[in-house]
Amino acid sequence: MGLGGVSLVVGGLVGGFLLRRKKIKAKKPSTPSGSANTEGVATSPGSASSVGSVGAGAGAGANHGAQASSSQSSAPAPAPASAPAATGGSALLAQMKARRAAQSSSAKKSSSNLKAKPVFVLYASQTGTCREIAKNLAAEASTKGFQAKALDMREVNFDNLSVATHPVLVLVTSSTGDGDPPDNAAKLYTKVRKKRPASEKPFAGIKYTSLGLGDSNYTRFMHVPRQFNKKFADLGAESFYKSVEADEVDGIEPIIEAWTEDLWGALTFVVTGEKPAGAGDAAAAAAAALPAVAAPWPAQLPCVKWLSGTEHDTCLSTEAKAPARDAIQYRDPKGMYSPDEPFFVTAPITCRYLTAGGVKGVNGRKVMHVELDVAGSGIRYNPGDAVGVSPENDPSLVDSVLSRLGLNADATFMCEGIPHVPCPCSVRHVFSHCVDISGALKKSLVRSLAPFCKKAEERSRMAHLASKDGAKDFEKHVANHDGLLQILTAFPSCAPPLACLLDALPPLAPRLYSLTSAMCDDGERLSAALSVVEYAAKDGTSRRGVASTWLERVASASSSSSSPSGAIGVHLRKSAGFRPPVDVVGSSVIMVGPGTGVAPYRGFLKERKFALTSASADATRGDWMLFFGCRHPEEDYLYREEFEKHAADGTLTKLVTAFSRVDGQPKSYVQHRLKELGKDVNAALARGASIFVCGDGAGMAKDVRAAFADIMVTHGEMTGGEAEMALQKMVSDGRYVTEVWCDEAHDD
């Protein structure tokens, strides 16, 4: 990776943020009874070699194993990156003892106070950004002497939230969709918003602050972060530091960095009750008040206990039959399923390719129309809703990762306290179904892996990449590399134990796809259009999307056999605002959707056509305009035949296309076509038309909004400021609605 010559100490490197833009959101572990080995012991049934321990380089793994077997508490700090490879845990303890001896008595008192009152960083995260921020915050807090831990909101029981259990909280939250809570926060979100007497203050005494992430393109901007902030205060919690909101439109990094810089002084005061000296510079004061301590890795490692005998056999037998019959037969009486309790589609799925070239695709692009039969589920949906699909990792990638780690795929273990890992579980199951091993690499993962490099040079180089000083190198060498296997290949001596990976790897989250169906026409069949993601990364290696390529494999198996190809867990994500107007006949609508962004409009138009067939002859009919863009009309014009029929029969008033890769013609995008038809667009807006924008949020959404502002100035006799205010009012009124996501070429 070209980063030789770096000699840095792990303890001073944790922290800082380098977040990939989202382009468009405790129970103490215990060892179960039995004779199974505990992770960290030199010989483990889970490894072909001694993967259970770090080996003769870091020492932390073996030390953790010894401690876990007795107290099952947090792991000791790892050896500094500059330590010789053979020093092990004894040298680490000596360094820590010398460091403690050098501290002043006031520093010792401050350290003791900090560790006496724990700090929990709770995160509500759909896409992983909030999780990454929370992990980094907790790690940086640990380097400053706080007893800090990042917690998934699924790990928090509302009834157990109190000043006794969670005295200091930092909330890192976001919305998903148009103001919905992320899946991992849904249960807690419902609990805190439940109506109760104003006098009921279960959170009295809790000190908290919050960081909210959002996108002002959405109608219900910051809805979930603001609700969490307000409800925690209503329930008696007291703010100890300013809460902030970071808007994706403006860029979140500067806001987060500024907020974090002053957080430590406020956190020091609320934990110790002592104001740091030199309050004019909170960050410097906080640093001066805290002792220099080695960074624990991590604050608490989960305890892994390997299984054998009957427990082992039973676990493998149960997984072989998964999902269980009870799960497959589960029916929610309201048709409301979730990632934890999905509806399992067992009927063969059907698919067809919407792009030229069929299974081979064309010019590196392949889009597939998929239909899922949910008959008997009770699911009732509207156009604009999304279907969530729980995917599986590529079996070949899983095999490669396990081979690199030296892990036995059939080994089984117990590990409590990680919400997305079942207990008990096999190694293959956890890497196939539970953790994301192909997603973009995050600093928190790199930081967690660093202490487990046996070679000091690799250890220091990896630690540098995870540090604030290494931000540029991380962006250059790591940020565009996807997946665990890539980082393990780049650092051959890195041998993390399973406990490290379970703690550091993000959960394998369900993928959401906008529905292209409408119940009035398709009944109990959910359909979606998805890009099958396969591309070459900057390092020259091939990348494949998790869910899209998995669904393609399942669909291919279904089409070649009359028997079901396995159960697919699905759930419905209801849309709060991205849906057709109630009056689909008389209203006017402008729809903008390049690429697969056009998918939900297929359902919109199905519903409008159905309504038009029963409308009276004298009913007022609004104007419906669709702006669709793709590369070439003969390559990736999705649902072309259907949209052209809608234009011919009057369901669509205008069908406007933009093509960017036609030989002999200039590139044309949807924003260009909007401005070309600016007079008609402005007239529709004057009649009260609603705007829907769906697709890539990295550039398209901004360009389209700028085009509408330009149209208002050019044809609506507004100034630039007036046009922006008018658009913002449309957003607030629910007349300018967006559904955006990251670049399709690099994610699914």
Side-chain angles (χ1 to χ4, degrees):
M1 299 174 76
L3 298 175
V6 180
S7 180
L8 299 167
V9 179
V10 174
L13 291 175
V14 183
F17 300 98
L18 184 78
L19 302 175
R20 289 187 69 191
R21 174 174 169 76
K22 173 176 165 283
K23 300 176 182 178
I24 20 165
K25 316 170 19 266
K27 182 177 180 181
K28 181 178 287 187
S30 60
T31 304
S33 60
S35 59
N37 294 326
T38 300
E39 173 114 20
V41 179
T43 303
S44 161
S47 58
S49 59
S50 180
V51 179
S53 65
V54 181
N63 286 341
H64 172 63
Q67 184 171 346
S69 64
S70 57
S71 65
Q72 299 156 15
S73 59
S74 61
S82 57
T87 56
S90 59
L92 170 63
L93 293 175
Q95 288 179 349
M96 294 177 67
K97 184 179 294 185
R99 188 171 292 182
R100 286 196 298 269
Q103 294 169 355
S104 66
S105 60
S106 61
K108 290 180 181 178
K109 178 181 178 181
S110 178
S111 175
S112 177
N113 288 342
L114 288 177
K115 292 181 179 180
K117 186 178 288 188
V119 177
F120 296 95
V121 187
L122 308 187
Y123 60 87
S125 184
Q126 187 71 23
T127 64
T129 302
C130 284
R131 179 184 186 274
E132 176 70 3
I133 293 171
K135 287 275 188 179
N136 283 327
L137 279 174
E140 188 166 359
S142 296
T143 69
K144 296 179 182 295
F146 296 98
Q147 183 183 344
K149 183 177 182 180
L151 284 181
D152 185 316
M153 283 194 176
R154 285 178 294 186
E155 297 180 74
V156 179
N157 186 328
F158 174 86
D159 296 328
N160 292 335
L161 260 179
S162 68
V163 66
T165 59
H166 299 80
V168 182
L169 298 176
V170 179
L171 308 178
V172 184
T173 59
S174 64
S175 300
T176 188
D178 192 11
D180 299 318
D183 292 332
N184 78 307
K187 186 174 292 187
L188 183 62
Y189 183 74
T190 300
K191 286 281 190 179
V192 299
R193 295 180 73 235
K194 182 180 178 181
K195 290 185 178 180
R196 50 179 58 86
S199 59
E200 189 176 332
K201 305 291 184 183
F203 294 175
I206 293 177
K207 307 295 185 182
Y208 83 103
T209 185
S210 68
L211 168 66
L213 270 61
D215 187 325
S216 56
N217 284 312
Y218 283 91
T219 307
R220 299 205 297 170
F221 174 61
M222 290 289 174
H223 181 70
V224 170
R226 289 172 183 174
Q227 284 291 304
F228 268 122
N229 200 13
K230 178 181 183 301
K231 294 301 181 181
F232 265 70
D234 291 345
L235 293 169
E238 300 175 22
S239 174
F240 72 87
Y241 178 58
K242 63 184 178 183
S243 295
V244 300
E245 297 177 346
D247 186 356
E248 285 280 356
V249 171
D250 300 323
I252 63 176
E253 288 87 351
I255 296 173
I256 295 172
E257 288 175 356
W259 179 76
T260 306
E261 184 177 356
D262 291 338
L263 170 65
W264 309 119
L267 199 58
T268 300
F269 178 69
V270 76
V271 170
T272 66
E274 302 171 0
K275 288 187 177 181
D281 185 346
L290 301 178
V293 296
W297 182 90
Q300 286 187 346
L301 269 178
C303 181
V304 171
K305 179 182 177 182
W306 298 103
L307 303 180
S308 60
T310 302
E311 290 178 311
H312 168 79
D313 295 340
T314 300
C315 177
L316 289 181
S317 176
T318 301
E319 288 181 354
K321 300 173 183 177
R325 178 177 298 181
D326 289 347
I328 292 177
Q329 294 179 344
Y330 170 71
R331 298 293 182 269
D332 184 273
K334 296 182 179 179
M336 298 300 296
Y337 299 87
S338 69
D340 294 328
E341 292 184 305
F343 173 77
F344 283 100
V345 176
T346 55
I349 69 173
T350 59
C351 74
R352 70 177 190 274
Y353 291 97
L354 301 175
T355 45
V359 68
K360 294 182 179 180
V362 58
N363 291 326
R365 186 164 175 75
K366 185 165 54 173
V367 179
M368 187 170 63
H369 173 85
V370 175
E371 294 186 6
L372 303 168
D373 186 347
V374 295
S377 66
I379 291 176
R380 295 293 179 267
Y381 63 92
N382 296 299
D385 292 343
V387 58
V389 179
S390 299
E392 298 176 13
N393 285 314
D394 187 335
S396 63
L397 177 61
V398 172
D399 288 341
S400 296
V401 169
L402 297 186
S403 175
R404 165 61 180 82
L405 292 169
L407 286 170
N408 177 3
D410 292 329
T412 58
F413 62 92
M414 299 282 285
C415 180
E416 296 181 355
I418 301 182
H420 54 279
V421 176
C423 185
C425 186
S426 72
V427 169
R428 179 174 296 282
H429 183 84
V430 78
F431 280 92
S432 297
H433 299 272
C434 305
V435 295
D436 189 346
I437 59 175
S438 62
L441 292 169
K442 303 289 188 180
K443 274 193 172 183
S444 61
L445 174 62
V446 176
R447 182 186 62 245
S448 297
L449 295 177
F452 296 100
C453 290
K454 296 179 182 178
K455 294 184 177 179
E457 184 275 333
E458 288 188 14
R459 191 160 60 245
S460 62
R461 186 154 47 96
M462 189 179 284
H464 169 70
L465 290 172
S467 72
K468 186 178 294 186
D469 292 338
K472 290 183 178 179
D473 288 328
F474 181 90
E475 185 174 15
K476 179 179 180 181
H477 297 288
V478 181
N480 293 315
H481 292 221
D482 294 344
L484 176 64
L485 187 60
Q486 279 64 47
I487 194 73
L488 291 176
T489 301
F491 292 85
S493 78
C494 187
L498 182 61
C500 163
L501 296 170
L502 297 181
D503 178 81
L505 287 169
L508 183 58
R511 269 45 173 185
L512 295 172
Y513 299 102
S514 296
L515 291 176
T516 69
S517 48
M519 291 204 71
C520 60
D521 186 62
D522 300 286
E524 295 181 294
R525 293 188 70 82
L526 305 179
S527 63
L530 54 103
S531 294
V532 182
V533 180
E534 296 178 354
Y535 65 97
K538 290 185 178 180
D539 63 356
T541 58
S542 177
R543 297 287 189 273
R544 305 173 70 187
V546 177
S548 59
T549 53
W550 171 67
L551 280 171
E552 185 179 35
R553 290 196 303 272
V554 174
S556 177
S558 293
S559 64
S560 61
S561 173
S562 59
S563 61
S565 55
I568 301 173
V570 302
H571 66 282
L572 192 68
R573 168 73 72 175
K574 303 291 287 187
S575 173
F578 198 88
R579 57 180 56 188
V582 175
D583 181 9
V584 293
V585 174
S587 60
S588 292
V589 171
I590 300 171
M591 300 170 287
V592 184
T596 53
V598 79
Y601 304 138
R602 180 175 181 261
F604 281 34
L605 291 167
K606 281 174 173 281
E607 189 161 285
R608 174 170 164 83
K609 184 172 183 177
F610 180 81
L612 286 171
T613 59
S614 57
S616 62
D618 59 349
T620 301
R621 285 166 166 74
D623 294 326
W624 278 49
M625 308 170 69
L626 173 60
F627 289 81
F628 168 70
C630 65
R631 297 180 180 182
H632 194 285
E634 303 302 325
E635 293 181 358
D636 54 351
Y637 189 158
L638 310 183
Y639 301 113
R640 177 175 185 171
E641 183 178 346
E642 293 181 46
F643 290 142
E644 289 181 347
K645 284 183 178 179
H646 287 316
D649 64 22
T651 306
L652 267 175
T653 309
K654 285 185 182 296
L655 173 59
V656 185
T657 54
F659 305 115
S660 60
R661 299 291 191 278
V662 178
D663 292 341
Q665 296 183 18
K667 291 184 178 181
S668 178
Y669 297 100
V670 286
Q671 60 266 28
H672 301 148
R673 300 292 280 140
L674 279 166
K675 289 193 279 190
E676 289 171 15
L677 294 173
K679 186 176 181 179
D680 293 337
V681 170
N682 188 71
L685 293 176
R687 292 192 295 271
S690 296
I691 297 172
F692 294 88
V693 181
C694 185
D696 172 37
M700 181 277 297
K702 292 181 180 179
D703 293 338
V704 165
R705 180 160 174 152
F708 278 114
D710 182 77
I711 289 168
M712 291 177 170
V713 171
T714 304
H715 301 282
E717 299 181 355
M718 293 184 183
T719 65
E722 290 171 339
E724 187 55 41
M725 288 179 63
L727 285 171
Q728 189 55 50
K729 188 174 188 309
M730 290 182 68
V731 171
S732 301
D733 293 344
R735 285 183 53 215
Y736 193 114
V737 189
T738 58
E739 183 69 43
V740 293
W741 51 76
C742 57
D743 183 1
E744 293 173 4
H746 294 79
D747 200 3
D748 63 341

